[in-house]
Amino acid sequence: MIKTKKITERIQQLLKAMNENAWQDRSDQWLKPATLKDIAKEYPDESVIVRRAMAIAELLKTMSSSDNSEAKYHYRIAEGELIVGVIALGSLGLGKVFPNYITENEKSVSTISQRSEMALFGHDSVNYEELVRHGLKKIISECDEKIKSFAQHLIDTKHLIGVCEKVENNSSNLNKISAGLLYAAKDSDDANIKLAIENLHKGDNLENGKRDRTFSGEIKSFFEVLSGLKSKTGDTAKKYKDMNHKEQYEVMELVATMKDKVKDKMSIIQDKKDFYEAVKISCEGVIEYAQNYADLAQKNAEHEKNKDRQTELVEIARICRKVPKEKAETFHEALQSIYFVHLALHSSMNQLSLGRLDQVLKTYYKEEEEEKEKQLELFECFIIKCAERLILDANTFLKQDHVDYGTSLITTPVPLDQWAEANEFLQNIIIGGVTPEGKDAVNEMTYLILKAYQDTKLFTPTLNARISKDHTTAQEQRYIKEIAKTLYITENGMPVIGNDEVLINALHKYSDVPLNEARDYVIDGCWEPLLNGSCDWTFRLFNMLTALECALNGGAALSNNPYLLRGEKLSCKTHLFDNDNEFDFEKLKNALKEQIKFFTDQAVLSIYKLYLIDQAINPTPLYSALLKGCMNTGRDKTWGGSDYRLAGVISAGVPQTISTLAAIKKWVFCKGDKNPDNKFLISEVLDALRNDYKSENKAENERFATMKKMFRSASPKFGSNDPETNEISKWLLDTFYQSVQVSKKLGKEIFYNHLPKDKEKARQIISLRALAGYAGSSLKEEFYKDFKNFNITAGIGTFELFVLIGMGNAASADRLRGEPLARNFAPIAANQDFSVGHILSSFKDLGLDRFGGGVIADICVDKNTYPKEEKMKLAFFENIIRHFLKHKGNMLTVTVANPIELQKIYDLCEEARSGDQKALDNLHKYNNVNVRVAGYQAPFITLPKPHQEKYVERSILSKN
């Protein structure tokens, strides 16, 4: 292991400069729309994907030009930097600034689907191994070949369309028809026609990359039919005149049909040509950006007086001239190449994972002790560059709000907690686990990355450590020990832990992902498991607690708003529990099962529909260049080009639902039975939950207060490892998982498969598509028979939305109306009296290895109650990890909090929010107090008040 005792002076200075900049009002550091060209106005006739590529190139050009007003922020090399380039400001919460590339008509029409140029989803992983091995030059060369090939295809198809039109254009004159047919028949022997058929016969298939013999055969047959019209004397006109009207009509229909087929093929050819042109433009834009930084480094070197720094700048200039254009051959070159592309993607609204960097970089890693020191420092420079968008003064967030109506998570609205997400950059690094072949993937680069996070304590990029069952053996304990060490040194939940045994099984066995791809999984966005550089990912979120409210209230949310009568009607009407004499817990479970099915149907069908709406204004050619499958299919990732599609149906509010069900089962009785002591009628429970356990009636208010106390302090709770609660948990998870499977089957039947041959069944499917607001062809037909590997997974979590989602819910057994939900798959700490060990043990029989969408448990331990000695700390975190693995946990974060310190920081934040400058200044010393926001880490001082209040009471006793 690297034995560096402390971080280098360079890294200390870079961290200090980053924090100082983060405290500035950064609103003037954003790119200004006025300085960016309006690509749509300048190139209105170009396809949208080409315009988007031009916008990417324009952005990068502006960012690396001394002519623009923000040059001092975007085109600079800071003192001591070894990795250069500056990502444009932007985040999930604050949005982006990007050149306009959408025409006015596109902008107007796209409002119906709530899309703008800001609607790119991100949440994917880049194939950086391809980049460092070959460079962008190889991709550009491939594009040139494809562009040339498809240009010839376009010439051929235009020629064939022209032949058809010569016949059709003379349809009003029998003699001219005859002359046109004679021309067409004659042309069937013409060299141009033969060449067109030959080119299409030899060229790439427009559908699946194989030889297109079917299409060229159709063309050949067409002209053979026309040639057959000639009599032995060659009198085509006479032959046509001798036909009856039906025969003449059939000939003209043949001509029209062939013209339509050729036009369809021509459209495909043009789309593919545009795709490769867009990829080329994007890649060339990145290369030009790197060249501009080479010029800047060289210029700085010429004015640099310090000889050591001058040498560094000259080397930086050399590297920037080489990568990412050429393949990387050194550790420094590989890091700089990856960073340039990462920078370009994130600056152009593709907020993507960095992937399995320990696997990508291990080829460049050198074992010599001196090299280890240099490599560690280089990697620390790299992650500091990724983190430097940090904004620490939350008072400046408002004037840096660049989000628009289209900045959403695609078609199904998901709220954005913009304040909390102001420093969420959706960038992850993944280490460890197994290789696609199933071998241990941990290597010396893995340990270097862990050491870098121990040194810098950065909160972003999020570090994710995959652990396989091999890492639990005696000879493989080094890896777990180093993860444990990183957890207690950083105290910010880094790294996030993924259980390979569970997640690989979930993706492969239960989600139909090939084993080699499942073994190669990565994490992106908040904590979403997806495939490494080979899939397009999206998700749909629904609130399980809302489903429970609807189950209790006949399809309506529990509301005390009299204008909504019993509540807002959100789903199908199920049994209404308005008769105290009929309450039965099994009836409630059946109603909840129906409600869950309603919400999973809604989620799954919207996922299928997403892919049937042409992503007409959100193509992403730069990312598609490095996403497996897109370059082979000639299609952008937003239009089905990747090898795989992976989508998660994610349920929030599961812990609250389980605890509330457990409380109802224990304390609610049927009126027809003898009234036990301290038990409640279902009507009382519904009124209490609606009205936040309060009533103007004194007796009822006392009754509600008793109920609240019994629900909170005397009921089984999620995470307590109580047998009865575990049974409810298992039932709920089984029900949710099975509902997703049934919904998947329905979605596939309606949207994915070809229409049945049976006409009545086909009519029914067409009718069902219309009900969903879609009237087109199936996914297989729309994507040229090449849309395969569509996998839908189930998952459980809240992401960072636990505050916003909870605002819409009535009270539950463990919280009041509008209060935040529990984070992800963990209990609300303030209401529990059990330990970490209880929580993790409760996972063992839940079958979490079915949930390929991820089930992440966020655990926060009280710093004041865990061991002080380093050896004991290490053992404490090791035990948590091993307990998690033993009981088949899916994903886990372990953060450390000092409630006393958090309360002190919270009080300072309150004073700063009221305008106290001294309090604001005092907050600077707490820069590195980072907390887990259910999907990422963030500085505590930047969070909104409701988040901070819950974090103060979040930590639990440090018992195993």
Side-chain angles (χ1 to χ4, degrees), residues 512-528:
D512 302 320
V513 171
L515 182 57
N516 65 318
E517 292 284 356
R519 286 171 173 161
D520 202 29
Y521 79 88
V522 295
I523 306 300
D524 192 43
C526 291
W527 41 262
E528 302 87 319

Side-chain angles (χ1 to χ4, degrees), residues 892-955:
L892 176 70
T893 66
V894 185
T895 52
V896 178
N898 182 342
I900 298 171
E901 181 183 52
L902 291 182
Q903 183 65 57
K904 181 180 178 181
I905 300 171
Y906 172 81
D907 292 340
L908 279 173
C909 288
E910 281 287 83
E911 293 171 18
R913 282 190 276 264
S914 66
D916 189 326
Q917 184 60 45
K918 185 177 179 181
L920 184 63
D921 293 340
N922 285 335
L923 285 175
H924 287 223
K925 68 181 74 171
Y926 300 107
N927 289 346
N928 293 321
V929 178
N930 297 308
V931 294
R932 179 76 181 174
V933 193
Y936 54 92
Q937 291 68 234
F940 181 76
I941 59 176
T942 67
L943 295 177
K945 182 176 178 177
H947 281 264
Q948 290 182 334
E949 289 174 343
K950 289 301 173 183
Y951 271 97
V952 170
E953 61 185 37
R954 181 185 180 199
S955 58

Side-chain angles (χ1 to χ4, degrees), residues 704-737:
F704 285 174
T706 301
M707 184 191 302
K708 178 182 175 183
K709 180 180 179 181
M710 303 308 287
F711 275 20
R712 287 200 172 195
S713 61
S715 299
K717 295 184 185 68
F718 169 77
S720 63
N721 202 27
D722 171 85
E724 194 163 16
T725 313
N726 288 349
E727 183 183 340
I728 292 173
S729 299
K730 189 175 188 312
W731 173 84
L732 185 65
L733 267 63
D734 287 347
T735 301
F736 169 47
Y737 176 79

Side-chain angles (χ1 to χ4, degrees), residues 448-481:
L448 181 148
I449 293 173
L450 284 167
K451 176 64 172 137
Y453 277 85
Q454 292 169 17
D455 285 349
T456 62
K457 298 181 177 64
L458 288 172
F459 73 95
T460 184
T462 301
L463 181 63
N464 301 266
R466 292 176 42 182
I467 304 179
S468 77
K469 58 184 178 181
D470 293 336
H471 299 138
T472 61
T473 60
Q475 57 267 43
E476 294 293 342
Q477 289 184 5
R478 176 189 173 193
Y479 180 47
I480 289 181
K481 284 182 182 294

Side-chain angles (χ1 to χ4, degrees), residues 314-492:
V314 170
E315 174 65 359
I316 289 169
R318 181 196 69 78
I319 291 172
C320 293
R321 294 205 191 283
K322 181 177 181 181
V323 297
K325 180 180 181 181
E326 307 286 350
K327 69 177 183 179
E329 296 176 290
T330 69
F331 190 80
H332 195 167
E333 289 174 1
L335 278 177
Q336 184 64 69
S337 184
I338 292 168
Y339 181 69
F340 271 142
V341 174
H342 181 72
L343 175 156
L345 288 166
H346 276 246
S347 296
S348 58
M349 299 183 297
N350 284 271
Q351 298 177 98
L352 305 169
S353 170
L354 284 154
R356 303 184 72 180
L357 286 189
D358 61 342
Q359 306 306 301
V360 176
L361 295 171
K362 66 182 179 181
T363 305
Y364 304 94
Y365 180 84
K366 292 184 178 180
E367 293 284 351
E368 293 81 7
E369 209 59 41
E370 183 181 348
E371 291 296 326
K372 287 182 180 180
E373 299 285 348
K374 292 178 181 177
Q375 290 166 157
L376 176 61
E377 187 178 60
L378 274 167
F379 193 82
E380 289 173 354
C381 286
F382 173 84
I383 56 176
I384 290 170
K385 290 300 296 182
C386 292
E388 68 180 3
R389 286 170 279 177
L390 174 65
I391 301 174
L392 289 171
D393 187 354
N395 293 319
T396 68
F397 287 171
L398 182 60
K399 56 182 175 180
Q400 296 184 68
D401 182 1
H402 292 271
V403 171
D404 75 356
Y405 76 97
T407 309
S408 61
L409 302 181
I410 312 294
T411 56
T412 297
V414 173
L416 289 175
D417 188 339
Q418 286 190 245
W419 188 337
E421 294 165 340
N423 285 301
E424 162 61 317
F425 309 119
L426 299 172
Q427 52 184 358
N428 290 257
I429 293 173
I430 298 86
I431 58 173
V434 297
T435 67
E437 297 73 33
K439 296 179 180 179
D440 185 4
V442 175
N443 58 71
E444 289 304 313
M445 189 64 217
T446 309
Y447 294 111
L448 181 148
I449 293 173
L450 284 167
K451 176 64 172 137
Y453 277 85
Q454 292 169 17
D455 285 349
T456 62
K457 298 181 177 64
L458 288 172
F459 73 95
T460 184
T462 301
L463 181 63
N464 301 266
R466 292 176 42 182
I467 304 179
S468 77
K469 58 184 178 181
D470 293 336
H471 299 138
T472 61
T473 60
Q475 57 267 43
E476 294 293 342
Q477 289 184 5
R478 176 189 173 193
Y479 180 47
I480 289 181
K481 284 182 182 294
E482 206 59 38
I483 291 172
K485 183 179 178 182
T486 308
L487 285 170
Y488 80 69
I489 287 177
T490 64
E491 297 186 348
N492 63 8

Side-chain angles (χ1 to χ4, degrees), residues 747-765:
K748 190 169 185 177
E749 181 182 2
I750 295 173
F751 290 123
Y752 185 79
N753 294 329
H754 292 293
L755 289 174
K757 291 183 180 179
D758 182 282
K759 289 186 178 180
E760 179 56 28
K761 288 183 179 179
R763 187 191 65 76
Q764 291 173 1
I765 296 296

Side-chain angles (χ1 to χ4, degrees), residues 848-866:
L848 298 183
D849 65 345
R850 296 170 292 175
F851 293 89
V855 180
I856 188 164
D858 287 340
I859 304 298
C860 182
V861 296
D862 188 336
K863 188 174 182 177
N864 299 303
T865 64
Y866 79 69

Side-chain angles (χ1 to χ4, degrees), residues 830-844:
N831 299 323
Q832 68 182 36
D833 55 4
F834 42 87
S835 69
V836 176
H838 286 104
I839 297 169
L840 299 180
S841 296
S842 69
F843 296 164
K844 60 186 176 183

